[in-house]
């Protein structure tokens, strides 16, 4: 069974630009969550989607947004990039039959903002 | 104060040692407890999952949860150099199980 796939794996942007990251969950998983990982703050919850609906959002500004498609694939977008947005962005999926915290992560998209 | 506290290490042990990794937490609503292993430049890999209190064993790994003390542990027996990684504890509440709260991670180095 293929795992969570994230693209692109690495990208470099400049301040003020925007970026879109993509995530394909494990086949059959309908819940997709996004996390930001930085050396200073660790892993922080961004948002979670289930059946194309955002169910919850973490403490991030409105520049961070996302969506989920009918095939459960998800994208997140960051607009007006700031230097502090440099981070590893991780996508995680969960089986819709579980009501547990077992999340399976992808390899992440490493964003560098110059 | 953070909801989940974890010693960042690094923790350096000789091959074959028993490793003990720990996290404390403050939110009594947490019911799901996980340990993830993260190698450099990789995503976190789920190692152990426990619901509520108790012990769980899987090969060389044992996870313990003590909800009365708000303390969780991961033990690694017969540690190997391939165990060298960052270990992250994570937990979530019943009504928001999709939202994991992570510890800062402990860097472990197992010396050959």
């Amino acid at each position: 069974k293929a795992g969570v796939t994230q693209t692109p794996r690495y990208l470099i942007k400049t301040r003020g630009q925007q970026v879109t990251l993509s995530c394909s969950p494990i086949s059959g998983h309908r819940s997709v969550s996004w996390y930001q990982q930085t050396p200073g703050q660790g892993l922080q919850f961004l948002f979670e989607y289930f059946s194309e609906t955002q169910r919850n959002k973490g403490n991030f500004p409105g520049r961070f947004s996302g969506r989920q498609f009918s095939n459960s694939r998800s994208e997140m977008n960051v607009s007006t990039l700031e230097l502090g947005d440099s981070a590893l962005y991780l996508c995680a999926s969960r089986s819709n039959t579980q009501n547990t915290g077992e999340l399976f992560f992808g390899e992440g998209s490493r964003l560098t903002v110059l | 104060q953070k909801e989940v506290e974890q010693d960042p290490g690094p923790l350096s042990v000789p091959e074959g040692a028993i490793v003990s990794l720990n996290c404390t937490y403050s939110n009594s609503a947490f019911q799901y407890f996980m340990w993830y292993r993260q190698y450099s430049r990789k995503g976190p890999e789920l190692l152990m999952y426990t619901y509520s209190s108790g012990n769980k064993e899987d090969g060389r790994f044992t996870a313990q949860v003590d909800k009365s003390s708000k303390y969780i542990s991961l033990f690694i027996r017969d540690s190997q150099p391939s165990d060298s990684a960052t270990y992250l504890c994570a937990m979530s509440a019943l009504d928001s199980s999709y939202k994991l709260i992570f510890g800062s991670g402990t860097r472990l180095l197992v010396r050959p």
Side-chain angles (χ1 to χ4, degrees):
Chain A
K1 202 174 192 181
V4 177
T5 305
Q6 291 188 246
T7 56
R9 290 290 314 279
Y10 302 92
L11 66 168
I12 299 173
K13 294 284 186 179
T14 56
R15 279 181 298 174
Q17 287 187 310
Q18 74 160 15
V19 66
T20 299
L21 309 177
S22 180
C23 171
S24 293
I26 291 171
S27 177
H29 287 193
R30 288 164 59 190
S31 166
V32 172
S33 304
W34 289 88
Y35 287 77
Q36 181 197 63
Q37 186 175 31
T38 59
Q41 298 297 319
L43 272 146
Q44 293 186 285
F45 173 75
L46 278 158
F47 27 64
E48 191 247 4
Y49 287 88
F50 182 83
S51 292
E52 301 178 66
T53 301
Q54 186 182 90
R55 292 205 291 195
N56 211 309
K57 188 171 161 53
N59 236 5
F60 281 82
R63 301 184 296 106
F64 291 81
S65 63
R67 58 178 176 167
Q68 186 180 32
F69 302 96
S70 57
N71 61 358
S72 295
R73 192 177 68 85
S74 177
E75 288 181 349
M76 68 161 282
N77 184 75
V78 188
S79 63
T80 320
L81 284 166
E82 300 177 0
L83 294 179
D85 296 334
S86 294
L88 180 66
Y89 289 89
L90 291 157
C91 170
S93 75
R94 182 173 71 137
S95 167
N96 56 299
T97 60
Q98 303 170 256
N99 186 29
T100 69
E102 285 180 289
L103 297 188
F104 298 91
F105 284 86
E107 300 284 6
S109 293
R110 186 167 295 278
L111 170 66
T112 301
V113 181
L114 302 176
Chain B
Q1 188 186 1
K2 291 185 176 180
E3 276 189 288
V4 180
E5 298 280 359
Q6 185 176 9
D7 187 333
L11 178 61
S12 180
V13 301
E15 183 175 354
I18 296 175
V19 175
S20 172
L21 303 166
N22 312 293
C23 287
T24 58
Y25 63 95
S26 56
N27 189 345
S28 57
F30 289 148
Q31 294 282 349
Y32 302 111
F33 304 92
M34 284 133 283
W35 286 94
Y36 286 85
R37 176 174 64 194
Q38 187 173 25
Y39 292 112
S40 181
R41 301 201 166 269
K42 298 284 189 181
E45 170 195 8
L46 181 62
L47 272 180
M48 299 288 284
Y49 161 80
T50 311
Y51 169 67
S52 195
S53 281
N55 294 358
K56 186 172 184 179
E57 189 173 319
D58 184 0
R60 298 184 295 113
F61 299 91
T62 300
Q64 287 185 351
V65 175
D66 181 350
K67 291 187 68 182
S68 61
S69 303
K70 296 191 177 67
Y71 188 87
I72 70 170
S73 302
L74 177 71
F75 297 95
I76 307 174
R77 289 183 298 281
D78 187 25
S79 56
Q80 303 295 310
S82 58
D83 294 329
S84 298
T86 295
Y87 289 79
L88 298 145
C89 63
M91 43 201 84
S92 61
L94 266 176
D95 60 351
S96 56
S97 60
Y98 52 84
K99 180 181 175 181
L100 298 187
I101 308 299
F102 282 85
S104 55
T106 299
R107 268 190 63 205
L108 172 66
L109 174 64
V110 181
R111 307 186 307 272

